[in-house]
Amino acid sequence: MSFLFAYARGGGPTRAIASLGRTSLWADGIAFLLMAGIAVMVVHGANEARQPLEALQQTPIVLDPARLPDYALRTTLRMFAALAASLLFTFTVATLAAKSRKAALIVVPALDILQSVPVLGFLTFTVTFFMGLFPGRQLGAECASIFAIFTGQAWNMAFSFYQSLRTVPDDLDEVSRQFGFSAWRRFVRLDLPFAMPSLVWNMMMSMSGGWFFVVASEAITVGDKTVTLPGIGSWLALAIEEKNFGAVALAVAAMAVVILLYDQLLFRPIVAWADKFRFEQTASASRPKSWAYDLVRRTRLLKTIAAALAWPFRLAETVRLPALPRVPMPAMGRTYAKAVDLAWLGLVVLGCAWGLRQLATFIAESLTFADVREAFTLGLATLARVAATTAIASVIWVPIGVWVGLRAQWAERVQPVAQFLAAFPANVLFPFAVVAISGLHLDPNIWLSVLMMLGTQWYILFNVIAGASAIPTDMKEASSIFGFRGWQWWRQLALPAIFPYFVTGALTASGGSWNASIVAETVSWGDTKLEAAGLGSYIANATTAGDFPRVALGIAMMSLFVILFNRTVWRPMYGYAERHLRLN
């Protein structure tokens, strides 16, 4: 509960930012240069995005190294815009689901479905809407691209925040009630700090997830035309099409530089800052460090700006809204409450039935039952790959994640490497996969699954690291005093502590694996194309052919598989973690 007391003294996260350390002139100078550089890049990118759509045709993508920094800037700005939208989505939707049981009946299954819908599926049906908002301007295509990246970033953050809010320790919850916190005050002083460590690691995973689908998100198809936005993804797509190994290597190098920059300037300082919100009674001797965080602590300029930006939030913390008059309600017995729940559930079922009927009508206009049976059979094949890749990734990365999470120094070293590897787009590995599988005459149905691992394993690793790093120091010291070793240490400390985080990671990993099947079950290098039988290749081929009924059927079938898998495997685990594995 130490973080709650720290907040009570400091006045919340907003004021805490503005009350750190000694100031120095050189720190202000460096901070000014950094902020000025970032501002110039943002303004430049925004001006480019406002250009007419015809400008893209006049200046097509070229594999000129001099243009690569500009392409990297455009891609990075899109991903940070999507990350901001994902944070807003997470704070609103996940909080609503965690606080309202009736809202959770809709929100949680909706998140299950949406995380499984591939980026290509969203692009297919939303591009027209965004292009219509800004006719004739690049901004419409930019919004469609940002939305596509958002759909690859938001879900694991929302699940992580939801899991954290559902497992807030009972004693902290009781204290917040005794203090009479308002909903906003509780959010900024308890819910947000408690969820912060896990949320930060999932933000890193989301950024890497955006890179994973960067090629797909920068090619916007409108009717029979494809709008290719300037960016690293477009560069990669052109390099792969031209079989240009040198251009692929340059794109990977540019990605590495960008990831290193935002890791040093953004994520590592946030990890160091968020460490203060760990739930523990005693301070840890090993804490994450960041030179940028130390720089922020020494600047007067950033403190002044942060204080100005935080002023509305601090004001909101102090506002005491008058209590709403209580409406006299009849005493609600258990039978009456159950009847209200059933009525609400009935409304939800009716809404879903109406949506399914509309979808079935659209599909039945051009497809038959044989097509549905084919999609179901292909879905079983992809399900087997998803289950296998999730299980293999769990066996490999849970021990590694625990080892890294318990060692802050190693977490600092692993953090940028893991972000880079997680960001590695599957398209970059297409040449090696095609050459190896074709040259060795391997079965694509088995060996293309290795590419799906790229979209699976990192969700588990990042969440397990977050869980292990959140184990209270006093619990680790107690286990050491009692002499826990070997399997006893895993059974009584490590596995219970990381289990809620692992379930979140595995759930989002399985969703990411379904998503990755779209790009991993059909790969090509130049004229050579390999394909594994599965729902991912079915949707990818239908999207390429512009066959919207088959795209809709494939996405609906994928959503059905994901919901059944989540409801039978991951949801019971979530419930077990909520009931038995809280930090109390």
Side-chain angles (χ1 to χ4, degrees):
M1 208 165 66
S2 59
F3 71 86
L4 190 65
F5 289 154
Y7 263 63
R9 289 192 302 267
T14 52
R15 186 171 297 172
I17 294 173
S19 59
L20 298 170
R22 294 173 300 158
T23 61
S24 68
L25 195 58
W26 64 266
D28 276 327
I30 295 175
F32 176 78
L33 290 175
L34 282 174
M35 293 193 64
I38 292 172
V40 168
M41 288 190 288
V42 170
V43 170
H44 172 75
N47 284 334
E48 291 287 318
R50 294 171 54 197
Q51 299 300 312
L53 203 55
E54 290 77 14
L56 292 178
Q57 298 170 348
Q58 296 167 3
T59 55
I61 302 297
V62 291
L63 300 182
D64 179 1
R67 301 292 303 275
L68 196 52
D70 186 52
Y71 292 164
L73 172 65
R74 299 284 296 272
T75 298
T76 307
L77 290 178
R78 284 181 205 117
M79 286 205 287
F80 273 104
L83 188 69
S86 299
L87 271 176
L88 186 61
F89 174 86
T90 296
F91 290 152
T92 52
V93 173
T95 304
L96 183 64
K99 302 295 181 183
S100 168
R101 193 162 54 88
K102 291 182 175 59
L105 282 174
I106 298 175
V107 173
V108 176
L111 288 177
D112 284 343
I113 294 173
L114 292 172
Q115 74 150 342
S116 66
V117 177
V119 171
L120 288 176
F122 284 108
L123 274 176
T124 303
F125 295 103
T126 57
V127 164
T128 307
F129 169 75
F130 286 108
M131 297 295 282
L133 286 180
F134 306 97
R137 316 292 297 181
Q138 290 184 34
L139 202 52
E142 292 282 356
C143 289
S145 178
I146 291 170
F147 182 76
I149 298 170
F150 163 84
T151 60
Q153 291 185 340
W155 320 125
N156 60 305
M157 291 167 58
F159 276 118
S160 162
F161 202 64
Y162 171 75
Q163 172 258 320
S164 297
L165 297 192
R166 296 285 296 180
T167 55
V168 170
D170 289 336
D171 44 356
L172 292 184
D173 181 64
E174 188 177 337
V175 169
S176 71
R177 292 177 189 277
Q178 289 177 350
F179 284 173
F181 282 1
S182 64
W184 170 252
R185 204 175 182 86
R186 178 192 161 102
F187 180 78
V188 297
R189 294 201 172 189
L190 175 58
D191 295 338
L192 185 57
F194 183 75
M196 187 58 73
S198 175
L199 182 62
V200 170
W201 280 93
N202 275 281
M203 285 167 62
M204 291 184 222
M205 182 62 235
S206 290
M207 284 296 287
S208 297
W211 284 108
F212 191 81
F213 292 104
V214 69
V215 175
S217 63
E218 290 181 351
I220 309 296
T221 301
V222 186
D224 56 349
K225 294 182 179 177
T226 297
V227 177
T228 304
L229 292 169
I232 290 184
S234 303
W235 171 291
L236 263 177
L238 184 60
I240 291 170
E241 184 182 335
E242 296 183 358
K243 290 189 173 184
N244 189 335
F245 273 109
V248 171
L250 278 176
V252 173
M255 277 177 50
V257 171
V258 171
I259 291 170
L260 186 65
L261 284 175
Y262 70 62
D263 173 73
Q264 291 292 319
L265 296 176
L266 179 66
F267 286 125
R268 187 165 295 190
I270 294 180
V271 168
W273 173 70
D275 186 69
K276 68 174 70 174
F277 303 128
R278 290 173 59 187
F279 177 78
E280 58 186 5
Q281 303 285 342
T282 57
S284 171
S286 175
R287 292 192 174 278
K289 297 176 181 175
S290 163
W291 65 266
Y293 181 59
D294 293 338
L295 178 73
V296 171
R297 291 163 61 92
R298 291 177 175 277
T299 60
R300 184 179 289 107
L301 175 67
L302 290 181
K303 288 177 183 177
T304 305
I305 295 174
L309 294 176
W311 176 80
F313 300 100
R314 288 208 304 274
L315 181 63
E317 284 183 45
T318 59
V319 169
R320 292 282 185 182
L321 297 175
L324 295 175
R326 288 183 176 274
V327 179
M329 297 286 289
M332 186 180 291
R334 181 174 294 180
T335 306
Y336 183 71
K338 191 175 289 186
V340 171
D341 286 351
L342 285 175
W344 174 251
L345 189 61
L347 283 174
V348 174
V349 171
L350 281 176
C352 294
W354 180 84
L356 286 174
R357 185 175 180 278
Q358 298 296 317
L359 180 64
T361 303
F362 175 70
I363 293 174
E365 287 177 354
S366 55
L367 300 180
T368 64
F369 182 73
D371 295 301
V372 177
R373 189 170 53 197
E374 179 194 6
F376 180 78
T377 306
L378 294 173
L380 289 176
T382 303
L383 173 64
R385 292 191 188 98
V386 169
T389 52
T390 305
I392 293 171
S394 301
V395 171
I396 294 173
W397 292 110
V398 166
I400 296 175
V402 170
W403 191 88
V404 172
L406 292 177
R407 294 162 178 80
Q409 297 88 346
W410 275 98
E412 288 176 17
R413 298 170 191 166
V414 169
Q415 189 177 314
V417 177
Q419 284 188 74
F420 175 70
L421 293 177
F424 221 67
N427 313 64
V428 174
L429 295 180
F430 283 1
F432 308 101
V434 171
V435 170
I437 293 174
S438 302
L440 299 174
H441 304 290
L442 302 175
D443 186 353
N445 288 307
I446 297 175
W447 291 97
L448 284 181
S449 303
V450 176
L451 293 179
M452 286 175 62
M453 285 281 288
L454 295 174
T456 303
Q457 56 193 355
W458 308 111
Y459 292 97
I460 295 173
L461 175 65
F462 278 60
N463 276 280
V464 171
I465 290 177
S469 60
I471 296 177
T473 304
D474 40 354
M475 289 182 65
K476 288 185 284 188
E477 290 175 351
S479 70
S480 177
I481 292 170
F482 287 122
F484 288 0
R485 295 285 186 277
W487 176 239
Q488 186 186 22
W489 181 84
W490 281 94
R491 185 169 54 84
Q492 294 189 340
L493 176 65
L495 291 180
I498 67 164
F499 188 76
Y501 298 87
F502 166 73
V503 174
T504 301
L507 188 150
T508 51
S510 64
S513 191
W514 281 101
N515 241 318
S517 69
I518 306 293
V519 292
E521 287 185 348
T522 301
V523 302
S524 59
W525 175 240
D527 300 329
T528 308
K529 182 177 180 181
L530 296 177
E531 189 171 313
L535 205 50
S537 58
Y538 179 88
I539 294 174
N541 291 334
T543 304
T544 305
D547 189 345
F548 292 122
R550 279 189 169 76
V551 173
L553 174 61
I555 292 173
M557 193 61 71
M558 190 175 278
S559 303
L560 178 65
F561 272 103
V562 170
I563 288 179
L564 291 177
F565 195 63
N566 289 355
R567 288 286 154 180
T568 54
V569 178
W570 303 124
R571 288 296 155 202
M573 290 189 180
Y574 249 127
Y576 180 81
E578 286 178 21
R579 291 190 301 273
H580 302 289
L581 300 175
R582 285 170 179 260
L583 281 171
N584 284 317

